[in-house]
């Protein structure tokens, strides 16, 4: 019985975490967001929607590809869907600060994939 209660409790906590993230995403619909995926990709776009699995729909999106040897390359993606189970981090972008960054002068090591 104790084991059943623990599993039930963890499912409730998981549902609560999903509900909290859904509320947070609701506030950034129509705004630019930065998505970091589990494989280390950096995708920027306008959040158009999401679902209960945190799958997200981005419009006007592009991938920012980082390299030590070259400036940041921006690869246009357009309308793009990112699966929720592949999202490590998602956050709103401050458009004023982002506009001030000259990506042609930025060189950085790419993010490594998350290892479970």
């Amino acid at each position: 019985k104790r084991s059943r209660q623990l599993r039930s409790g963890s499912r409730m906590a998981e549902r609560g975490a999903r509900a909290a993230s859904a509320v947070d995403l609701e506030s950034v619909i129509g705004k630019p967001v930065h998505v970091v995926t589990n494989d280390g990709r950096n995708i920027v776009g306008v959040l158009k929607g999401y679902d209960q699995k945190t799958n997200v729909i981005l419009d006007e999106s592009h991938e920012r590809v980082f390299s030590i040897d070259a400036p940041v390359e921006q690869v246009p993606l357009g309308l793009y869907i990112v699966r929720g189970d592949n999202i490590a981090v998602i956050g709103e972008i401050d458009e004023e600060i982002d506009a001030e960054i000259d990506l042609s002068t930025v060189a950085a090591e790419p993010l490594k994939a998350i290892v479970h």
Side-chain angles (χ1 to χ4, degrees), residues 69-90:
D69 304 321
V72 175
E73 179 184 358
Q74 296 198 78
V75 180
L77 301 172
L79 188 63
Y80 201 74
I81 297 174
V82 184
R83 286 182 49 146
D85 61 356
N86 192 33
I87 295 175
V89 178
I90 183 169

Side-chain angles (χ1 to χ4, degrees), residues 23-33 46-47 90-92:
V23 170
D24 295 340
L25 286 179
E26 184 69 34
S27 67
V28 293
I29 286 185
K31 297 179 181 176
V33 294
V46 177
L47 182 65
I90 183 169
E92 183 178 0

Side-chain angles (χ1 to χ4, degrees), residues 36-78:
V36 178
T37 63
N38 291 337
D39 59 355
R41 295 175 66 200
N42 290 273
I43 302 170
V44 175
V46 177
L47 182 65
K48 290 297 183 182
Y50 64 93
D51 66 10
Q52 68 276 10
K53 300 280 188 185
T54 320
N55 298 314
V56 297
I57 301 169
L58 303 175
D59 196 13
E60 304 170 28
S61 65
H62 59 274
E63 180 178 359
R64 291 181 177 171
V65 181
F66 292 85
S67 169
I68 282 289
D69 304 321
V72 175
E73 179 184 358
Q74 296 198 78
V75 180
L77 301 172

